[in-house]
Amino acid sequence: MYFALFMVAILLVTGFIWLLDSLVLKKKRPVGAAEPVAVEYAKSFFPVIFVVFFVRSFIVEPFKIPSGSMMPTLLAGDYILVNKFTYGLRVPILNNTFFEINHPTRGDVFVFHYPPEPSVDYIKRVVGLPGDKIRYQDKRLTINGKFLDVQDVGDYAYVKPGLNMVTAKQYHEQLGNVTHDILINEWVNSYDSDAIGAKFANDEEVTVPAGHYLAMGDNRDDSSDSRVWGFVPEKNLVGKAFFIWMNFDKGSRIGNPIH
């Protein structure tokens, strides 16, 4: 969000200088006189900044994965692309939808503004849609009364920050039309008494309110998600992740689609 504000500010400044020169200053300069440096830079940068701003705001935006909460689907250090128009065109910065196209579907990997602090972007998977009734008991999801199918595919070892080696169980999970992998650890997480995670721990069913989504990380026991901070409002949506375009440590991940 801060980068978008910076882009808007630069766009307005360079555009204003170019326009002011075209309408006023140019007429006052002697014939053949060189353009002021500020005008020259503004005319050079404005078109480039405009194209970048337009593409990032309405077509595609790059993001870097900062943590392992979406392992094994996404790794810390993955650079991904996010489709900005799948969930509708939005006013930059304000994030209000002015042209609706689609809504998130169950199983989507989506980027959104973190509800407790909207200036921060988060990435998780859509688990619950508006109106869905969700349970998460014994580390198994139940959606609208139906257990999700999972298949054990063995152990998955990874290193947490601090160089702590962790071995989790890896499963294939069928979530809507998407088959993806999740990680399950043996430890038990604790939650605030009013958190969704606490309700799940008490075997309570949670209904996703209208205009909201329940998001969870694929690294189920090592993810700060809706179980901790609540539902994702529709107004916080940024876009759908679809492609890994770079990973400087693991070149084999470059070009992988995100499912």
Side-chain angles (χ1 to χ4, degrees):
M1 184 177 292
Y2 291 138
F3 185 78
L5 283 170
F6 173 76
M7 291 285 289
V8 168
I10 297 298
L11 196 64
L12 290 175
V13 170
T14 54
F16 175 76
I17 293 174
W18 191 356
L19 184 63
L20 179 65
D21 181 71
S22 299
L23 298 179
V24 179
L25 302 181
K26 186 176 181 180
K27 299 176 182 179
K28 297 181 179 181
R29 284 200 298 273
V31 177
E35 292 179 335
V37 174
V39 173
E40 185 177 344
Y41 276 120
K43 292 174 67 174
S44 298
F45 285 122
F46 178 82
V48 176
I49 296 171
F50 177 80
V51 170
V52 172
F53 179 76
F54 181 85
V55 170
R56 287 179 61 101
S57 298
F58 303 114
I59 301 177
V60 66
E61 185 172 0
F63 287 88
K64 180 184 178 183
I65 303 302
S67 73
S69 70
M70 280 296 293
M71 295 173 66
T73 306
L74 296 171
L75 307 182
D78 282 344
Y79 289 80
I80 67 169
L81 295 179
V82 172
N83 185 318
K84 296 297 292 287
F85 59 83
T86 296
Y87 301 146
L89 300 179
R90 297 170 182 269
V91 178
I93 301 173
L94 298 178
N95 216 43
N96 297 324
T97 303
F98 65 86
F99 186 80
E100 287 196 359
I101 300 177
N102 295 308
H103 294 281
T105 58
R106 195 177 294 113
D108 283 0
V109 177
F110 69 153
V111 173
F112 52 91
H113 299 312
Y114 178 44
E117 190 177 345
S119 63
V120 177
D121 290 326
Y122 262 39
I123 184 167
K124 303 293 176 186
R125 191 177 295 274
V126 179
V127 169
L129 304 178
D132 278 349
K133 299 181 183 301
I134 313 289
R135 290 182 185 273
Y136 188 65
Q137 186 68 17
D138 297 326
K139 305 196 178 185
R140 287 284 304 276
L141 273 169
T142 303
I143 301 178
N144 298 324
K146 182 180 179 181
F147 268 119
L148 296 196
D149 293 330
V150 295
Q151 295 180 344
D152 189 342
V153 293
D155 292 339
Y156 185 98
Y158 65 98
V159 180
K160 285 176 59 68
L163 300 179
N164 296 315
M165 179 63 72
V166 175
T167 299
K169 295 293 294 183
Q170 183 174 353
Y171 295 88
H172 293 322
E173 180 180 78
Q174 184 70 38
L175 185 56
N177 295 322
V178 177
T179 301
H180 66 106
D181 284 1
I182 61 173
L183 299 181
I184 299 294
N185 292 288
E186 294 181 353
W187 62 69
V188 177
N189 291 316
S190 60
Y191 302 93
D192 292 340
S193 59
D194 59 345
I196 292 173
K199 293 180 171 62
F200 285 153
N202 292 328
D203 198 22
E204 295 181 40
E205 185 176 75
V206 173
T207 301
V208 183
H212 291 74
Y213 301 88
L214 189 142
M216 294 177 70
D218 289 348
N219 193 351
R220 289 284 162 81
D221 296 301
D222 201 3
S223 170
S224 173
D225 49 37
S226 287
R227 292 169 292 178
V228 177
W229 37 256
F231 301 104
V232 179
E234 178 86 24
K235 65 179 181 180
N236 285 41
L237 300 183
V238 173
K240 180 180 178 180
F242 69 95
F243 187 74
I244 300 172
W245 66 272
M246 179 57 69
N247 186 306
F248 290 106
D249 297 322
K250 298 181 182 294
S252 61
R253 296 185 59 78
I254 299 173
N256 289 348
I258 298 172
H259 299 295

